[in-house]
Amino acid sequence: MVLQRLTGEGFTGKRLARKGLPILAAAALLTTPLAAAAQATASDDAAPAAASSTAHVKVLAAALKNMKDNYKSFANFTPGPADILDYNIGNLWLKGIDGSGTTVAVIEGWDDPNVASFIHTRDLRYGLPDPVIQTIFPSGPLPAQCPPGMVALGSYGSCDAWQGELELDVLTVHLIAPYAKIVISATPADSEITDDAASNVAPPEMMRALEYISTHHVANVMSISDGTGEDTYTFGRAQIHANDPGPLTAAAAGIPVTNATGDCGVVQNLAIASAQCGNTSPGPATATWDDNPWVTAVGGTVPNVSPATGAKLGPDRIWHEGIFSEGAGFSAVYPRPAYQGVVAKVTGSPWRSVPDITMDSQDGTSESAPMVAGVLALATQLNHGRNLGPVNPVLYGLLGPLGSRAGLSDVVSGNNSVIDPGGKVVVQGFTAARGFDVASGWGTVDASKFVPALVAAQASGLGQRASRQAAGNLSQLEHSTRLSTGNIAAGGTSLVSGTGFLPGHPVKLAIDGKAVTTLTATDQGTVSYPVNPVTLGLAAGHHALTLQSMLITTTAGFSSR
């Protein structure tokens, strides 16, 4: 769960080893004809398949002029014109790159029937078009009342608090990609069981939403402004890894997922907290789901622009405001992924490092994650509507080492240490430095360069290979169920064993499509059941067995005689 304030809106929210190409080869890639074509699309007349209409350009040119001419009166709004100017978004708008033809899904814990009105008011301020907004409910209709476990979270994660979060997410995506469609996925906790506190802060239903959106091709990009500390889960690693099918399904479908890293600095809010950063871990910690290597973890910085004109003054700094700061550090669950091998000497750790990249988080990393998603929507449009695939392998293997040539703006100051009111460091965090660092990842973006560079890098095939790898990993999970014997003798029994399920959640066992029983996963996420073909009335021959749960369905075959 992450901080959300909507600064300047007169509104206070209620919560919140390198496998790529060598550097020289990467540089060469960005000077190929394909890269030149991508650059031309962003800097000259865009190709019809990628560009929006002349009418769109006219609307956004006027909005951009309004932002610049009246910047002083807009300076305190975030997200707002400071982001458009700091990240060079307007240069893309003027060339027809505005999110047209793309869809961004924001993953939420509740719905907000007033979101369209909220966005319309902000659009009038700048002269932006109103977006197309659709709400879906992947776990079924919302319950009549907010689940008690969410209510207990108060301003940190109640259903009322989620409405403020949703508004920020939609507002941020829309600001960056004004003509992108936005899908709100409303998926509260406890749809199956009364779950633990961690799963009310970060409901596994949200991972179900990733699966639904991916398999039904609902969106090109997904953004999550949520998560909970790795050490807050009652059942530890088994419970965390049971969420893995969500990011894997998205990656296999080629859909990038951005996730906020949190707002309590180098520590994480505890799941029992009722306010953001009100009750935190005693030492360094990271959170789900940004820790997952298939997710792009987004930290937070502050635009360094003139308060009078919005002109960029220099490198952005790490966001740090009192007790609040971006999450950054090392996972204790996920080992360092292969793509982070290029920065192994910098991190000095065998574990996954977060964040991967940063953007404006003056309203918390709830703002920066959907902001990156908006940038990825622009890149998807430039990529002729084709999904970009998991972006981390490309970010680390190609773009990161090129730095500013690939539109990555270095962040060289600030830290995410926990500091008491007297200025004493209570928990030492990470400090930004030149080049890649744990505090800011690869820094932030100059979108006018980053977007075409990301599209050009698609020619490397890194994203496509990553999607195939994710599909392979997911398939392994789907075929992990085992039987003690696959050829059951007449009158015999075989013990079926499955793993990777959400602890305490129901798992439905079926044979040949017919329901047999519903099991309950153990604290380790396992189930077992004796299969006796005679007792079950099965004819001799081959049979297909399935174990169906919220996030994964596993299959196995056996024969009976």
Side-chain angles (χ1 to χ4, degrees):
M1 202 63 64
V2 285
L3 178 72
Q4 188 271 345
R5 297 192 311 278
L6 288 179
T7 304
E9 294 289 352
F11 171 92
T12 300
K14 298 179 181 177
R15 77 162 200 144
L16 277 243
R18 189 173 78 193
K19 297 295 184 181
L21 303 180
I23 293 177
L24 289 178
L29 175 63
L30 296 186
T31 59
T32 62
L34 175 65
Q39 292 279 2
T41 306
S43 59
D44 300 317
D45 291 335
S52 63
S53 70
T54 302
H56 288 187
V57 174
K58 185 177 180 179
V59 169
L60 296 183
L64 186 61
K65 184 177 186 302
N66 180 30
M67 291 178 181
K68 291 179 177 179
D69 291 348
N70 299 288
Y71 183 79
K72 206 171 210 180
S73 63
F74 296 149
N76 291 328
F77 292 115
T78 180
D83 301 306
I84 300 304
L85 301 179
D86 188 55
Y87 303 122
N88 267 330
I89 302 294
N91 290 348
L92 294 171
W93 287 359
L94 295 177
K95 306 307 174 186
I97 307 304
D98 53 26
S100 292
T102 71
T103 302
V104 178
V106 292
I107 312 303
E108 311 293 337
W110 201 250
D111 189 18
D112 178 11
N114 299 315
V115 65
S117 175
F118 176 86
I119 299 300
H120 176 67
T121 302
R122 277 72 189 168
D123 285 341
L124 289 177
R125 176 190 298 152
Y126 305 125
L128 292 173
D130 288 337
V132 174
I133 301 174
Q134 177 188 5
T135 302
I136 62 173
F137 306 90
S139 293
L142 296 182
Q145 296 182 336
C146 186
M150 294 177 69
V151 173
L153 297 170
S155 65
Y156 183 50
S158 69
C159 297
D160 285 345
W162 268 106
Q163 291 181 350
E165 174 63 70
L166 185 158
E167 289 172 351
L168 175 61
D169 292 344
V170 174
L171 179 65
T172 305
V173 171
H174 177 55
L175 176 74
I176 302 299
Y179 283 99
K181 178 181 177 180
I182 299 175
V183 169
I184 297 166
S185 172
T187 49
D190 291 358
S191 65
E192 282 191 340
I193 66 170
T194 300
D195 226 323
D196 68 344
S199 294
N200 273 270
V201 175
E205 284 83 354
M206 291 187 176
M207 297 298 97
R208 174 71 188 101
L210 263 61
E211 297 177 340
Y212 178 90
I213 291 167
S214 300
T215 56
H216 291 83
H217 310 289
V218 173
N220 306 104
V221 184
M222 290 186 270
S223 177
I224 307 173
S225 295
D226 194 25
T228 187
E230 291 179 338
D231 57 358
T232 66
Y233 286 89
T234 302
F235 305 109
R237 293 190 177 202
Q239 193 173 1
I240 293 172
H241 282 303
N243 284 261
D244 287 351
L248 280 172
T249 303
I255 302 175
V257 178
T258 64
N259 206 131
T261 60
D263 302 327
C264 303
V266 72
V267 299
Q268 287 289 330
N269 216 29
L270 298 180
I272 59 172
S274 59
Q276 182 67 303
C277 307
N279 192 346
T280 61
S281 60
T286 57
T288 59
W289 297 281
D290 64 276
D291 58 353
N292 190 292
W294 295 102
V295 170
T296 297
V298 185
T301 43
V302 178
N304 186 7
V305 296
S306 165
T309 66
K312 193 165 182 64
L313 300 177
D316 297 348
R317 60 174 174 81
I318 296 292
W319 169 66
H320 201 154
E321 181 182 332
I323 64 172
F324 303 115
S325 183
E326 56 129 29
F330 300 110
S331 171
V333 175
Y334 293 97
R336 184 181 67 230
Y339 58 74
Q340 284 194 325
V342 67
V343 297
K345 290 183 179 179
V346 176
T347 67
S349 173
W351 297 99
R352 162 87 162 116
S353 169
V354 297
D356 301 304
I357 200 166
T358 69
M359 286 189 85
D360 187 2
S361 63
Q362 292 176 89
D363 277 324
T365 53
S366 279
E367 178 184 7
S368 56
M371 195 167 286
V372 172
V375 172
L376 295 181
L378 300 179
T380 301
Q381 179 192 353
L382 188 57
N383 198 38
H384 302 279
R386 295 185 292 268
N387 290 343
L388 298 169
V391 299
N392 287 358
V394 172
L395 180 62
Y396 284 84
L398 290 176
L399 305 185
L402 293 173
S404 61
R405 286 179 289 171
L408 289 164
S409 303
D410 205 2
V411 174
V412 297
S413 64
N415 65 75
N416 75 329
S417 297
V418 177
I419 302 173
D420 68 17
K424 179 183 177 181
V425 174
V426 179
V427 183
Q428 184 67 51
F430 298 88
T431 301
R434 292 193 178 279
F436 180 92
D437 56 71
V438 175
S440 69
W442 290 106
T444 188
V445 303
D446 174 347
S448 65
K449 295 180 181 178
F450 178 76
V451 165
L454 180 59
V455 172
Q458 298 299 303
S460 71
L462 288 176
Q464 294 92 327
R465 288 199 292 273
S467 289
R468 290 195 294 270
Q469 180 185 345
N473 292 356
L474 182 62
S475 179
Q476 289 179 356
L477 295 179
E478 292 170 338
H479 294 87
S480 60
T481 293
R482 298 288 181 265
L483 289 95
S484 57
T485 177
N487 190 6
I488 307 174
T493 297
S494 180
L495 184 68
V496 59
S497 301
T499 188
F501 304 108
L502 290 164
H505 280 251
V507 180
K508 299 176 181 179
L509 188 154
I511 296 177
D512 298 334
K514 182 179 180 180
V516 174
T517 188
T518 298
L519 309 170
T520 299
T522 67
D523 293 355
Q524 292 74 43
T526 63
V527 295
S528 62
Y529 187 80
V531 174
N532 186 313
V534 173
T535 302
L536 294 173
L538 299 179
H542 183 78
H543 302 280
L545 180 149
T546 60
L547 293 173
Q548 181 184 4
S549 68
M550 179 192 293
L551 298 183
I552 194 166
T553 297
T554 66
T555 62
F558 68 92
S559 297
S560 61
R561 292 182 295 190

